[in-house]
Amino acid sequence: QVQLVESGGGLVQAGGSLRLSCVASGISASFFSFSGMGWYRQVPGKQREWVANIASGGTPTYADSVKGRFTISRDNAKRTVYLQMNSLKPEDTAVYFCMFRNFWGQGTQVTVSS
């Protein structure tokens, strides 16, 4: 069964940086490479919102709220997708989830203090 394991969340001051990682298991590197990957985030009482996607070929797309600050990347050999988050704002505080072909990770908490 496909499993997604996330890491890298934590507490950071506004203007700081964090790098999130999501490792997929239960699949081959080749199978992983065929699919896009995504990052989403959710705060209590609100719907989960899309943050970024990276296509199988490596082309990234971003939500307007994070464009220019976040960078999504992938390492197919490691079955891993990353989210580099710079210039963090308190509004970025949320639980961040990675998504792979309709599978979701457990989420990792990101808290940005003012």
Side-chain angles (χ1 to χ4, degrees), residues 46-104:
K46 298 184 66 177
Q47 292 186 221
R48 191 169 298 182
E49 66 174 339
W50 171 71
V51 175
N53 274 95
I54 184 165
S56 60
T59 301
T61 54
Y62 302 95
D64 288 341
S65 59
V66 306
K67 191 174 300 181
R69 300 187 298 119
F70 290 10
T71 302
I72 188 171
S73 61
R74 66 190 296 160
D75 186 331
N76 291 334
K78 296 181 178 179
R79 306 168 182 83
T80 302
V81 63
Y82 305 96
L83 187 67
Q84 178 67 47
M85 306 184 295
N86 298 325
S87 301
L88 283 163
K89 306 174 181 179
E91 306 91 87
D92 296 318
T93 296
V95 178
Y96 283 71
F97 301 87
C98 64
M99 186 272 290
F100 165 76
R101 297 173 72 93
N102 297 318
F103 289 90
W104 296 90

Side-chain angles (χ1 to χ4, degrees), residues 4-6 21-23 37-40 48 81 96-100 103-108:
L4 305 175
V5 180
E6 302 165 350
S21 300
C22 177
V23 180
M37 296 284 294
W39 284 98
Y40 291 72
R48 191 169 298 182
V81 63
Y96 283 71
F97 301 87
C98 64
M99 186 272 290
F100 165 76
F103 289 90
W104 296 90
Q106 78 285 351
T108 184

Side-chain angles (χ1 to χ4, degrees), residues 9-18 85 88-90 93 110-114:
L11 175 64
V12 65
Q13 290 187 326
S17 299
L18 286 172
M85 306 184 295
L88 283 163
K89 306 174 181 179
T93 296
V110 171
T111 302
V112 184
S113 62
S114 59

